[in-house]
Amino acid sequence: MADFDNPPSSVSINPWDALRRFTNARIALGRAGSSLPTAPLLAFNLSHAQARDAVHQPLDVAALHASLRAAGFDTLDAESAAPDRDHYLRRPDLGRKLNDESAARLRDYAAAAPAAFDIVFVVADGLSAYAAAGHAVPLLERMRAKMTGVSIGPIVIARQARVALGDGIGELLRARIVVMLIGERPGLSSPDSLGIYLTYEPRIGKSDAERNCISNVRPEGLGYDAAAFKLHYLLTEATRLKLTGVKLKDDSDMLLQAARVSGSALAP
């Protein structure tokens, strides 16, 4: 007799289903007839919507200023030459240069500062405001604890920003090194991934080959403590060698692994 209370499932389970626990990649989803089962299809649509939202969601600048100042940081505002999100997405070149008002503001701040800064951090919306809003403050708090004896400039919150916008900001604020914390292009499993780009002696016209990158900073990717460890290593080496980019090699993974094996704390 047929069991009408427990009908057989119409979903065919993929034999690799057990491997799904090792990755966020969409593998072994099974099938229903010749198509995907409803649950993974809906999950894909949700992830796609979250990625689109991450690109278009504006950065809550007031909230970020408040969070940074509550954590004890000074802050400044900056905007690129892209007047709105549509121009930002269609004209990457506009996101790489400051608008006139922002340039004047930073120039005036630098003129009143008693000395140049060793490091200036820029927090930028990039392609994911979620990343900047969620991850910048905890990462900066960990970095500040590591950077004794280093002069840190105000945290510049930049809107409609591409990576190279940091070059103009660092040049105007007379920074030895500029560190850009920017929302990365969202993926279908990571709408809030933060990228870190550091450039020695920033100035307009620097190429991407003259900077280093740390990617996928978020609790589900490269955690805050590990990211701060790597960034501190690169900043120390950049200061020693007086350069960043392809000539600065990131050998921090060996030190990071040694710290994990010995049980040393990665954060103060």
Side-chain angles (χ1 to χ4, degrees):
M1 180 179 293
D3 185 353
F4 293 106
D5 292 327
N6 298 287
S9 174
S10 61
V11 176
S12 300
I13 302 300
N14 189 293
W16 289 4
D17 184 70
L19 298 178
R20 294 182 61 191
R21 69 181 186 273
F22 298 111
T23 177
N24 288 327
R26 286 176 164 79
I27 64 169
L29 299 180
R31 59 186 176 84
S34 60
S35 184
L36 283 174
T38 300
L41 177 61
L42 293 176
F44 176 87
N45 289 339
L46 174 61
S47 295
H48 189 258
Q50 289 173 330
R52 289 176 61 88
D53 287 348
V55 171
H56 293 283
Q57 177 70 25
L59 180 64
D60 189 338
V61 174
L64 187 53
H65 274 296
S67 296
L68 287 166
R69 289 172 180 169
F73 294 101
D74 293 329
T75 61
L76 286 174
D77 265 319
E79 296 182 16
S80 77
D84 51 46
R85 201 63 177 169
D86 184 63
H87 282 83
Y88 170 79
L89 294 173
R90 294 175 183 273
R91 292 282 306 276
D93 58 310
L94 296 180
R96 299 186 182 112
K97 57 185 179 181
L98 291 161
N99 64 20
D100 292 340
E101 181 181 350
S102 296
R105 185 186 307 119
L106 297 178
R107 193 177 294 110
D108 291 344
Y109 185 96
F117 300 107
D118 291 323
I119 298 174
V120 166
F121 288 94
V122 181
V123 179
D125 50 7
L127 289 169
S128 174
Y130 294 151
H135 308 318
V137 175
L139 180 61
L140 287 168
E141 288 178 322
R142 285 161 173 79
M143 286 305 301
R144 180 174 55 188
K146 292 177 176 292
M147 301 178 67
T148 57
V150 177
S151 63
I152 301 175
I155 309 299
V156 180
I157 300 176
R159 285 173 282 185
Q160 315 293 15
R162 301 281 177 174
V163 172
L165 190 72
D167 296 339
I169 293 172
E171 182 176 9
L172 287 172
L173 291 180
R174 297 179 293 149
R176 179 184 297 181
I177 301 175
V178 67
V179 179
M180 172 76 83
L181 312 180
I182 188 168
E184 296 183 309
R185 186 183 305 277
L188 291 176
S189 62
S190 55
D192 62 339
S193 179
L194 186 74
I196 306 173
Y197 294 83
L198 56 152
T199 309
Y200 188 83
E201 291 187 343
R203 63 181 184 275
I204 295 173
K206 283 272 189 174
S207 72
D208 289 339
E210 296 174 275
R211 40 182 139 257
N212 292 81
C213 174
I214 302 170
S215 187
N216 195 32
V217 178
R218 57 192 181 102
E220 301 84 1
L222 185 67
Y224 303 139
D225 290 333
F229 187 96
K230 291 175 73 68
L231 179 55
H232 182 256
Y233 173 87
L234 287 172
L235 288 171
T236 301
E237 289 297 288
T239 302
R240 180 177 70 86
L241 298 173
K242 296 181 172 52
L243 56 81
T244 50
V246 295
K247 294 182 179 179
L248 174 58
K249 304 305 179 184
D250 182 3
D251 296 321
S252 64
D253 286 341
M254 293 183 292
L255 299 175
L256 186 59
Q257 182 62 28
R260 286 170 173 162
V261 170
S262 66
S264 301
L266 297 180

